[in-house]
Amino acid sequence: MTDIDDTTHSATEIAAARERVAQPGSPGFDGVIGGSMAEFSSEYMTYIEDYLDADLKLVADRVLDMLRSMGELHQGFAVSQLDHVLQTATRAERDGASEDMIVASLCHDIGKTFSNMNHPAIAAEMLRPWVSDEAYWVVKYHQDFQGRHYYARIGMDPEMRRRHLGHEHYEMAERFADDWDQTAFDPNYPTEPLEHFEPLVRKVFARTPRRG
Ligand SMILES: [Fe+2]
Ligand SMILES: [Fe+2]
């Protein structure tokens, strides 16, 4: 598990944050602002930081919106990319995975909302401030592990995972790829809906994010 603090945001807090960060201009700041960052005063930077803190309350909503949009993404598979990640997360949860790994399972392909290219790294860096090192690492390298199941058929090395042998999260990455991710294309699997995972998504993305 993670040592990141768990907090929660109420619906009222989220609504207030949404209204606040959407305000145009700089309501409430009456000092000189300046036209470049180099000219911003420390008072103005403090004021901006306060807005960015409010903005963080909206991250869970953005994640849920991105996941919903994956319902339109089929890419030739029998299930949509939303169904695929829901099925991956459902399998993880039923297998007793940690909260971080369940959220990682739900979000591991969220980079595909931009493009399939580099999608593991895109997803991993999006998640990194809010999840354990293990969840981050598994998402970042999941394709290297997934390759065992199909890379041979597209002329790539199916054992690309070997480059990670000995890594502390290697076994979890194998479990993720072999038991949850690569099996999650079954249209007949009894998969939980997004609403089932929403409270956990809100809990994890309400944590105080870490930098770096
Ligand atoms: Fe993937
Ligand atoms: Fe996947």
Side-chain angles (χ1 to χ4, degrees):
M1 285 298 285
T2 176
D3 57 1
I4 301 172
D5 290 338
D6 281 342
T7 54
T8 52
H9 300 309
S10 68
T12 308
E13 283 179 310
I14 293 168
R18 186 174 292 117
E19 189 174 339
R20 183 152 190 248
V21 301
Q23 294 284 341
S26 54
F29 187 78
D30 51 13
V32 175
I33 293 178
S36 68
M37 292 195 78
E39 296 173 279
F40 293 171
S41 65
S42 56
E43 291 78 18
Y44 184 56
M45 290 308 300
T46 300
Y47 171 85
I48 292 293
E49 288 286 329
D50 194 34
Y51 264 74
L52 295 181
D53 283 346
D55 191 76
L56 284 173
K57 294 185 172 67
L58 306 180
V59 173
D61 275 342
R62 292 181 183 134
V63 170
L64 291 165
D65 283 346
M66 292 176 83
L67 290 171
R68 272 184 212 105
S69 79
M70 292 169 75
E72 306 294 316
L73 207 55
H74 283 265
Q75 300 183 328
F77 295 103
V79 298
S80 73
Q81 286 297 302
L82 172 60
D83 291 332
H84 166 63
V85 297
L86 287 171
Q87 193 173 141
T88 308
T90 300
R91 290 177 183 277
E93 184 176 62
R94 290 178 184 162
D95 207 15
S98 68
E99 290 185 339
D100 287 59
M101 280 310 305
I102 295 169
V103 168
S105 298
L106 193 62
C107 298
H108 74 280
D109 280 338
I110 207 166
K112 291 182 180 177
T113 58
F114 180 70
S115 115
N116 266 46
M117 295 304 298
N118 282 4
H119 78 266
I122 294 168
E125 295 305 330
M126 288 171 66
L127 294 173
R128 190 173 193 172
W130 289 275
V131 301
S132 64
D133 288 338
E134 175 185 69
Y136 164 75
W137 196 89
V138 169
V139 171
K140 184 163 184 178
Y141 295 107
H142 76 261
Q143 212 62 24
D144 291 347
F145 287 77
Q146 192 78 315
R148 176 174 291 175
H149 305 286
Y150 72 98
Y151 273 3
R153 296 191 292 281
I154 58 173
M156 292 175 69
D157 176 11
E159 291 304 318
M160 208 170 273
R161 66 176 68 184
R162 284 200 190 125
R163 68 171 68 169
H164 304 294
L165 266 174
H167 192 278
E168 62 178 321
H169 303 313
Y170 185 93
E171 284 182 17
M172 179 56 76
E174 286 207 308
R175 198 171 163 208
F176 171 82
D178 300 341
D179 297 348
W180 308 334
D181 188 12
Q182 76 96 11
T183 59
F185 295 92
D186 180 355
N188 299 314
Y189 183 81
T191 299
E192 298 286 0
L194 184 57
E195 292 71 29
H196 172 82
F197 297 104
E198 185 173 334
L200 183 57
V201 169
R202 293 198 178 282
K203 179 181 175 185
V204 167
F205 289 100
R207 292 171 176 167
T208 302
R210 53 186 174 155
R211 292 181 191 269

